[in-house]
Amino acid sequence: MTTVEAPAAGVATPPAGRVSGSDFAQLSRRVAEEGLLDRRPGYYMVRFGLVGLSLVGGCVAFFLLGDSWLQLALAAVLAVVFAQVGLIAHDLAHRQVFSHRRYSEVGGRIAANLVMGMSYGWWMNKHTRHHANPNHEERDPDVAPDILVWSQRQARNANGLAKFIGKRQGLLFFPLLTLEGLNLSVSSFRALRSPAMKRPYLEGTLLVAHFVAYFGAIFAVLPLGKALAFIAVHEGLLGIYMGCVFAPNHKGMLMVTPEMKLDFLRRQVLTSRNVRGGRFIDAVMGGLNYQIEHHLFPSMPTPALTRTAQITKEFCAEKGIPYYETGLLASYREVVGHLHRAGEPIRSVAG
């Protein structure tokens, strides 16, 4: 089975031929016939247990180490654990774990607000809009030109911080990820005032509880210098980890403009990139390396994505739909290259 080359930046050409709305229904039947949409409670019990034990173990180790520079190594470990908690919150939000909304929301708020310090409600609203219109220049909040520009059309209209950073955004992308953890928390607090927030007092209380416990423990155990270093390492690596998990999924793939007409199947497949790498990458990325299948079947349990990817790849080949996958490092090169090309209009004006 072969794959096609990723679309070049700025290219926005839908596949030729008639777009059929029934294609996704055909694919769904093939997937459902193999039971791939069924819940996997055993898998999530093991996964939640391992992440939970890692979190508790990390907290115990923090207090046992006490006033030591070895805490910086532990900060790196806890960054990985927190990121895994974030991936659990993601799965809960998509109802991959529980079919009941209330259970999903309770679990999601515990994982996101209380453990990570990120608003579940804010992220859920933002992520739902992303899934509905991935890589859409005007409708996907993940490619809004707030700090980075994601297309040359956005670059030509950029101003403020996006215009300043856009000149060299390819080089700045990974350094900027060190601030992503901070950005998630700040955006969460800002969202508490939004009318779209359903439970602002509950979410706010959980966020405050997180940061009281987080900063309270750090400054109680470590002197000021080591405490600040611990926070910098932990938050910086958390941001890099989260960014490196989510960036390969869509960045550098087809950017959708208002003029384009795509059915659901093609909209999700053409704007998404899968990342190869086996079980290790599956664990590190929490299954989001199967981004095409995740977007087609958001509530599908993580362990079912591998088989679904095989079915989807075969189906896309039958329909002549480009299906793209690559290695992890190659995906980062494509993301950085796309960002560099997207910022070209800003550099041209500046030059």
Side-chain angles (χ1 to χ4, degrees), residues 136-257:
H136 193 289
E137 289 188 354
E138 296 181 359
R139 299 176 183 173
D140 183 356
D142 286 357
V143 293
D146 298 324
I147 297 178
L148 303 174
V149 293
W150 301 101
S151 70
Q152 293 191 355
R153 178 187 294 197
Q154 289 181 345
R156 285 189 284 270
N157 298 313
N159 52 55
L161 188 59
K163 185 174 183 179
F164 176 76
I165 292 179
K167 298 176 185 178
R168 293 176 176 82
Q169 61 181 17
L171 294 173
L172 294 173
F173 177 67
F174 285 105
L176 284 172
L177 289 182
T178 60
L179 302 175
E180 182 59 20
L182 176 63
N183 175 57
L184 292 174
S185 296
V186 171
S187 297
S188 296
F189 276 106
R190 287 178 176 173
L192 295 176
R193 296 175 293 179
S194 170
M197 181 67 71
K198 295 181 179 179
R199 305 288 296 275
Y201 295 108
L202 173 60
E203 297 240 0
T205 299
L206 292 173
L207 286 174
V208 170
H210 164 83
F211 284 105
V212 167
Y214 180 77
F215 290 121
I218 291 173
F219 286 104
V221 172
L222 300 175
L224 181 61
K226 290 176 183 175
L228 294 177
F230 181 96
I231 293 169
V233 171
H234 179 253
E235 292 295 328
L237 292 181
L238 174 62
I240 291 174
Y241 189 153
M242 296 297 288
C244 286
V245 167
F246 284 93
N249 301 339
H250 304 280
K251 308 306 186 262
M253 295 301 291
L254 176 72
M255 291 292 292
V256 180
T257 63

Side-chain angles (χ1 to χ4, degrees), residues 21-198:
S22 65
D23 287 345
F24 178 67
Q26 296 175 35
L27 174 60
S28 295
R29 283 193 292 272
R30 295 189 189 184
V31 169
E33 286 171 359
E34 294 199 20
L36 296 170
L37 295 172
D38 297 344
R39 305 286 170 188
R40 303 289 181 91
Y43 163 82
Y44 282 106
M45 285 179 63
V46 172
R47 181 175 168 188
F48 285 16
L50 291 174
V51 174
L53 287 173
S54 299
L55 180 62
V56 172
C59 293
V60 171
F62 174 80
F63 286 104
L64 291 177
L65 275 177
D67 183 1
S68 169
W69 285 109
L70 290 175
Q71 293 281 16
L72 298 188
L74 183 60
V77 173
L78 284 172
V80 174
V81 176
F82 271 52
Q84 287 293 323
V85 173
L87 292 171
I88 285 175
H90 171 272
D91 288 7
L92 286 163
H94 281 294
R95 298 196 199 176
Q96 295 176 17
V97 185
F98 305 111
S99 58
H100 198 287
R101 173 179 292 181
R102 183 176 181 180
Y103 297 152
S104 299
E105 290 181 347
V106 170
R109 288 191 176 103
I110 292 172
N113 293 61
L114 193 58
V115 177
M116 281 197 67
M118 178 187 75
S119 168
Y120 174 83
W122 163 75
W123 182 86
M124 182 70 169
N125 177 275
K126 176 175 175 286
H127 198 61
T128 298
R129 289 184 285 133
H130 158 70
H131 265 261
N133 292 283
N135 269 19
H136 193 289
E137 289 188 354
E138 296 181 359
R139 299 176 183 173
D140 183 356
D142 286 357
V143 293
D146 298 324
I147 297 178
L148 303 174
V149 293
W150 301 101
S151 70
Q152 293 191 355
R153 178 187 294 197
Q154 289 181 345
R156 285 189 284 270
N157 298 313
N159 52 55
L161 188 59
K163 185 174 183 179
F164 176 76
I165 292 179
K167 298 176 185 178
R168 293 176 176 82
Q169 61 181 17
L171 294 173
L172 294 173
F173 177 67
F174 285 105
L176 284 172
L177 289 182
T178 60
L179 302 175
E180 182 59 20
L182 176 63
N183 175 57
L184 292 174
S185 296
V186 171
S187 297
S188 296
F189 276 106
R190 287 178 176 173
L192 295 176
R193 296 175 293 179
S194 170
M197 181 67 71
K198 295 181 179 179

Side-chain angles (χ1 to χ4, degrees), residues 288-309:
L288 294 183
N289 46 314
Y290 298 105
Q291 190 66 194
I292 294 172
E293 290 68 35
H294 171 61
H295 262 251
L296 290 172
F297 306 99
S299 63
M300 175 176 287
T302 298
L305 292 170
T306 304
R307 173 55 184 156
T308 304

Side-chain angles (χ1 to χ4, degrees), residues 248-280:
N249 301 339
H250 304 280
K251 308 306 186 262
M253 295 301 291
L254 176 72
M255 291 292 292
V256 180
T257 63
E259 300 79 21
M260 297 174 62
K261 304 298 180 184
L262 296 171
D263 70 334
F264 175 79
L265 177 66
R266 288 162 176 80
R267 184 166 69 248
Q268 303 299 343
V269 173
L270 296 178
T271 59
S272 302
R273 175 197 291 108
N274 277 14
V275 176
R276 296 188 295 262
R279 292 184 179 180
F280 175 75

